[in-house]
Amino acid sequence: MAALWLFWAIALLAIYYTQLWRLVAAGPANWERLPRAGASWRGLGLFVAGGLALLGAQGVVAPIRRGGRWIRLNGTGRTCGAASLGGLIVLVSIAVALLSHLSGATFSFWRLPAFDEALRRALAALFGAGLVLLAVQVLGAGIYHLLRWRPDDWREEFLYRTSAGLGVVSYLSFGLAALGRYSPANVQLLVVGVLLAGGLWRTYFLVRRVPQQAERAAEPEFGTGCHQGDRLWQTIVLLAVLLAFIAALAPEIEYDALWYHLWLPEQWLEAGRPVDFIPEIISLYPLTWEFIFGAGFVLGGSVAAKLLHFACLPLTGLLVSQWARRFMPRVSPWLAVAFFVTIPTVLWEASTAYVDLALTLHSGLALYALLRYAEGRRWQWLMFGALNLGLALATKHTALFVLALAMAGLAFWLWREEHRLRKALGPAVLLGMLSLMLPLPWYLRSWLASGNPIFPYLYPVFGAMPPQRWDAVAEQRWTIYKVSFGRPMTVRTLLTLPWDMTVHAARYGGTLGPIFLLLLPALALRRRHARTTPWLIAYAVSYLILWASPVGTSQMRLLLPVTPVLALLAAEAFKRLSLILRGSGGRWGVVAIHSLVAVLLLLNLPPFTSLHEVDRVGWDGWLRHVIHEVPTGVVIGHLSQEDYLTRNVRSYAAWRYINTHLAADARVLTFSGGDHFYSQRERLWSDSTMAYPAVWGAPPGHERQAIEALRRLGITHVLFDKRQPGTLEPGSLAIAEPFAIANWYELVYEDYHFVLYRLRWEWIDANRLPETSEAGARPASNRFEPTLPGSIGPSSRREALR
């Protein structure tokens, strides 16, 4: 069995790290010519190799002396976490190598022109996020006290108190919006008021000396022993969290965060009430975490909102640790946490104001609570399971998968225990009813505004209103976008899905790394397993099928709710492999498996991300939703915020010009997306249903239709993306034809990526357009083309749809 697994490991890693072997074969002299290689990790590899060599030697022969006693594990002579020195070497070496890479030939620590700006931004963000998290703890403690909950240890108390507090902060903000009082001043007053109330409450109990809670249940501790290599895993966890924290301190540049996770709360704060933007598909999404971002934004800016989402990384890591301690005592909790926090897409999520990591936290807390309920039938656990499932549903519609699997799993577990259908279905139905109460306001809002409670999903069932919001053409384009991820679902693709989503991860818009595919097959090598392991396997497989099915979207970030389960299963598989290798290879077999996993965990971290791109050829096939480079320059002040955003958000310079030079009543038809947060003028996206008659529905020969549609929409300017012509069929847009460019527009701004025109309504009104103009007969080669040299080439169809 050990030989079979070794063959599998060699084959998988040889294929997965194709870029590494290409880099080695190219030789050091050619490294600088390869994309994002060479200087990014050339020195880093040497430091890590040396540190790991010392780590392995020290972990075998050098015990740690603490308190005058030798701490041993299972009488083997190896210590609990004997790798502390080696782990420190690895951490320091990586830090030195990263700083060496960042310094390069042009960077110096003494040249930090934007240091004051970076320091003020970081302090404001930490202060704002800290105030929100303190308010969360106060409100969570109130819920905890109200339910008279008796946790078994501090981890459970802290996790569920935090999740409850997050929900209360969000729904209090929602209440302000419903009353038309959602403004920055009122949100600040809300947070400060909660903190003052918490301080008075605490003072009351201290003065009266009234115990705040009953004694915790006298239950035995689970999984409290040390495990071999824990210091190594702790070091890797610390490094991963540190890298994510640095990335979270940078200004926001990611697509969906700028599109609506930050933009919508900003618009609601300005309006003081819920705002429904009919042209925007995301306007009716559940926005529970967007209100949490809004609180952070008001108190500490957009970076504070990012830090609130970053907090979900250590919180979910703590949940994984508690899960392992409680239900898998033979598994190292720190190893399970290391498997989770080093997932490249998880690290990227922690660095941005998305909500998938928050969804993962609430989903994981719900599943853990249901396991605790099934274990002891304490009603508080069912309540906390329903609370977190409700928060997950109010965060993202994909949580409906978790709800369906949780209800089915709970009913089946109870039926096996009780053998009575009524006692099995009752708690499961109650769980579903209670869980749906929290997202109900969002479903009701969506239903009243569009006729669809989960718009834009299930359009064939519910339809949508008004017609300008969504129609059959928009639904078709939305379907094309969803199926652009992964491969069509067949029996064959389903059987090969684990391999495909790991090795060809670029098709799925993210990566989990090779570790899970490497280790999880080892679960079949031994029959002994924890009681919950089969349930975790069933949940992971079921969620994966739903994710890859036509009702789901095969984006890797939408698979995040299952990653804590995968981390726990991988940790158990690692334990089984260690036992097998110990029997076949002795001590050195265990050292080998520890060293291999440590190296793979480190390779999951930036700046090694480019090594995961098996299908990359030159500049094509890059992974999305991963951290390619840690933005240390802007965080420490070597790079200003303006320069950083200009380099990383393609349309930022154009919108900066628009914000400062266009009249306040200007309305821009824009071919750019994912930049809403940085635009301060009214805008209409070219892909919206409302813009269709003027854009995609008006090919050459329909210029009059296009102009009339632009007039109805009140468009004053058009912002063209210079990549757009390369993604279109010949003669696709009347408004981009040479006739239109020459006569309808006045050039007001142009840069390397975008060109901005003012519509010359005076010329258009003076020259009545025929029903079919001569522009429709012009050859496709005379279409609008970029006017600057070196323009961007054709992008993928997926990018065009985005």
Side-chain angles (χ1 to χ4, degrees):
M1 289 189 293
L4 286 174
W5 180 84
L6 183 61
F7 175 78
W8 165 250
I10 293 173
L12 172 62
L13 297 180
I15 296 173
Y16 187 87
Y17 285 109
T18 300
Q19 296 297 338
L20 176 60
W21 316 134
R22 290 176 182 172
L23 197 60
V24 172
N30 297 315
W31 285 356
E32 292 292 345
R33 302 176 184 177
L34 301 177
R36 290 181 184 172
S40 298
W41 61 277
R42 182 177 50 192
L44 187 56
L46 179 62
F47 279 102
V48 170
L52 287 176
L54 293 174
L55 175 63
Q58 191 264 352
V60 174
V61 300
I64 298 177
R65 186 173 181 81
R66 288 183 180 173
R69 295 180 301 168
W70 297 102
I71 302 177
R72 300 176 183 272
L73 180 61
N74 297 329
T76 61
R78 289 181 293 276
T79 64
C80 174
S84 59
L85 178 59
L88 181 62
I89 292 173
V90 172
L91 181 61
V92 173
S93 300
I94 290 178
V96 171
L98 281 173
L99 294 177
S100 299
H101 155 60
L102 291 171
S103 62
T106 60
F107 183 94
S108 171
F109 288 111
W110 307 110
R111 295 175 52 204
L112 302 175
F115 176 78
D116 291 342
E117 174 194 83
L119 181 62
R120 289 194 300 269
R121 182 177 62 244
L123 291 178
L126 290 170
F127 178 75
L131 286 181
V132 174
L133 291 176
L134 283 176
V136 162
Q137 292 301 313
V138 171
L139 293 170
I143 298 295
Y144 162 84
H145 183 76
L146 181 64
L147 293 179
R148 300 182 180 275
W149 184 44
R150 301 172 63 189
D152 290 339
D153 58 41
W154 67 269
R155 299 177 190 86
E156 291 179 350
E157 177 183 347
F158 179 72
L159 286 168
Y160 287 93
R161 184 175 64 197
T162 302
S163 67
L166 288 169
V168 175
V169 167
S170 177
Y171 277 87
L172 287 177
S173 300
F174 192 10
L176 289 176
L179 296 173
R181 295 292 185 269
Y182 186 61
S183 65
N186 287 336
V187 172
Q188 292 172 351
L189 183 62
L190 170 65
V191 173
V192 173
V194 167
L195 293 177
L196 290 176
L200 294 175
W201 180 37
R202 183 70 177 174
T203 303
Y204 169 79
F205 279 105
L206 288 176
V207 172
R208 295 287 302 274
R209 295 185 178 181
V210 178
Q212 295 189 41
Q213 64 184 36
E215 293 293 330
R216 288 174 179 165
E219 296 187 13
E221 291 287 338
F222 291 85
T224 56
C226 296
H227 297 264
Q228 184 178 358
D230 272 0
R231 293 295 181 187
L232 173 60
W233 314 135
Q234 291 169 6
T235 302
I236 294 175
V237 168
L238 175 63
L239 177 61
V241 174
L242 177 62
L243 291 174
F245 177 71
I246 294 174
L249 287 175
E252 184 61 83
I253 61 173
E254 297 298 341
Y255 193 100
D256 283 5
L258 298 178
W259 181 13
Y260 67 100
H261 293 307
L262 294 179
W263 180 66
L264 282 181
E266 181 187 41
Q267 299 304 310
W268 285 36
L269 284 166
E270 290 181 2
R273 57 179 178 79
V275 181
D276 178 14
F277 296 95
I278 292 179
E280 300 291 346
I281 182 178
I282 42 78
S283 183
L284 298 179
Y285 278 6
L287 302 177
T288 296
W289 260 81
E290 279 73 12
F291 277 122
I292 297 173
F293 292 156
F297 175 72
V298 165
L299 293 167
S302 60
V303 177
K306 294 181 64 178
L307 289 178
L308 290 173
H309 195 233
F310 161 80
C312 294
L313 180 68
L315 286 171
T316 311
L318 181 61
L319 171 64
V320 171
S321 173
Q322 175 64 14
W323 203 322
R325 292 171 185 273
R326 182 81 195 190
F327 296 107
M328 297 178 171
R330 293 172 57 85
V331 167
S332 168
W334 281 106
L335 177 59
V337 175
F339 283 144
F340 172 73
V341 300
T342 57
I343 296 173
T345 299
V346 168
L347 272 181
W348 172 82
E349 279 280 346
S351 70
T352 184
Y354 275 47
V355 297
D356 301 283
L357 199 53
L359 174 65
T360 303
L361 173 64
H362 292 305
S363 300
L365 288 170
L367 295 177
Y368 179 88
L370 294 181
L371 286 175
R372 294 285 279 121
Y373 171 75
E375 181 184 58
R377 305 295 196 277
R378 290 169 56 186
W379 69 270
Q380 290 95 337
W381 284 114
L382 187 64
M383 295 299 103
F384 277 101
L387 170 65
N388 281 279
L389 265 179
L391 290 175
L393 290 166
T395 299
K396 206 176 186 74
H397 286 315
T398 50
L400 289 168
F401 292 165
V402 182
L403 175 64
L405 296 177
M407 292 178 62
L410 178 62
F412 188 62
W413 179 302
L414 295 178
W415 179 80
R416 289 189 60 188
E417 295 288 328
E418 303 287 348
H419 298 287
R420 298 178 61 180
L421 188 61
R422 181 178 178 182
K423 286 194 173 183
L425 292 180
V429 173
L430 180 62
L431 171 69
M433 294 175 62
L434 293 176
S435 300
L436 290 171
M437 290 179 65
L438 282 178
L440 184 61
W442 297 111
Y443 295 162
L444 182 62
R445 174 177 181 259
S446 180
W447 178 67
L448 292 175
S450 70
N452 184 348
I454 55 173
F455 177 83
Y457 301 96
L458 297 181
Y459 172 79
V461 177
F462 296 101
M465 61 180 188
Q468 295 83 1
R469 185 190 298 276
W470 204 249
D471 57 17
V473 175
E475 177 69 14
Q476 182 181 13
R477 293 169 62 85
W478 175 250
T479 302
I480 293 173
Y481 168 70
K482 291 193 296 182
V483 301
S484 66
F485 293 94
R487 294 190 296 175
M489 186 177 182
T490 63
V491 175
R492 180 176 177 273
T493 57
L494 185 61
L495 292 175
T496 59
L497 180 61
W499 174 271
D500 194 52
M501 60 185 285
T502 301
V503 177
H504 304 291
R507 300 174 182 173
Y508 299 85
T511 182
L512 302 179
I515 293 178
F516 299 117
L517 188 60
L518 179 71
L519 294 179
L520 290 181
L523 290 173
L525 297 182
R526 293 175 65 91
R527 294 183 178 179
R528 294 181 59 187
H529 51 73
R531 184 187 181 190
T532 59
T533 298
W535 297 94
L536 298 183
I537 295 175
Y539 171 75
V541 172
S542 301
Y543 193 97
L544 187 64
I545 293 173
L546 291 173
W547 171 77
S549 69
V551 299
T553 304
S554 299
Q555 291 191 63
M556 193 65 69
R557 64 186 179 89
L558 301 184
L559 194 62
L560 257 60
V562 84
T563 51
V565 172
L566 294 178
L568 292 163
L569 293 175
E572 183 169 354
F574 176 86
K575 184 65 177 181
R576 297 186 184 188
L577 276 174
S578 298
L579 295 175
I580 293 173
L581 294 175
R582 178 177 295 173
S584 59
R587 180 178 61 184
W588 294 105
V590 177
V591 172
I593 188 64
H594 277 72
S595 301
L596 173 63
V597 170
V599 170
L600 293 179
L601 289 173
L602 290 173
L603 289 178
N604 274 353
L605 305 178
F608 298 114
T609 305
S610 61
L611 299 182
H612 295 255
E613 293 158 333
V614 180
D615 299 324
R616 175 168 57 82
V617 178
W619 290 97
D620 295 327
W622 288 91
L623 280 172
R624 297 168 55 195
H625 299 160
V626 292
I627 301 176
H628 283 283
E629 298 175 0
V630 181
T632 313
V634 69
V635 172
I636 64 176
H638 173 67
L639 197 65
S640 70
Q641 176 170 307
E642 289 291 312
D643 291 341
Y644 176 76
L645 293 175
T646 302
R647 294 183 184 184
N648 291 279
V649 180
R650 296 180 70 253
S651 59
Y652 180 78
W655 283 108
R656 183 173 55 183
Y657 176 89
I658 292 171
N659 296 337
T660 56
H661 290 79
L662 266 59
D665 59 349
R667 194 178 197 203
V668 182
L669 174 66
T670 174
F671 286 78
S672 70
D675 52 10
H676 293 57
F677 185 67
Y678 295 128
S679 60
Q680 298 174 7
R681 294 294 182 269
E682 191 174 357
R683 54 183 291 156
L684 181 65
W685 193 20
S686 59
D687 277 0
S688 66
T689 303
M690 186 178 292
Y692 187 83
V695 186
W696 314 110
H702 296 77
E703 281 75 10
R704 183 174 181 180
Q705 171 190 326
I707 282 296
E708 290 177 350
L710 291 175
R711 190 187 302 275
R712 288 195 303 270
L713 296 171
I715 300 300
T716 62
H717 295 76
V718 179
L719 182 64
F720 282 111
D721 186 341
K722 290 184 177 181
R723 293 184 307 180
Q724 204 77 25
T727 67
L728 303 176
E729 296 295 330
S732 294
L733 298 179
I735 62 173
E737 288 295 298
F739 174 82
I741 299 296
N743 297 285
W744 297 357
Y745 304 127
E746 174 189 354
L747 178 66
V748 295
Y749 172 83
E750 186 172 14
D751 60 26
Y752 185 76
H753 300 293
F754 285 88
V755 56
L756 176 68
Y757 292 107
R758 182 187 69 85
L759 272 164
R760 299 171 57 197
W761 286 112
E762 64 279 3
W763 184 93
I764 296 171
D765 292 336
N767 296 269
R768 180 178 176 82
L769 294 175
E771 293 292 340
T772 302
S773 71
E774 295 180 0
R778 293 177 181 267
S781 59
N782 291 332
R783 294 184 296 126
F784 162 68
E785 298 290 348
T787 59
L788 288 184
S791 59
I792 303 298
S795 62
S796 65
R797 179 62 177 167
R798 181 188 313 165
E799 286 294 333
L801 291 171
R802 291 294 299 263

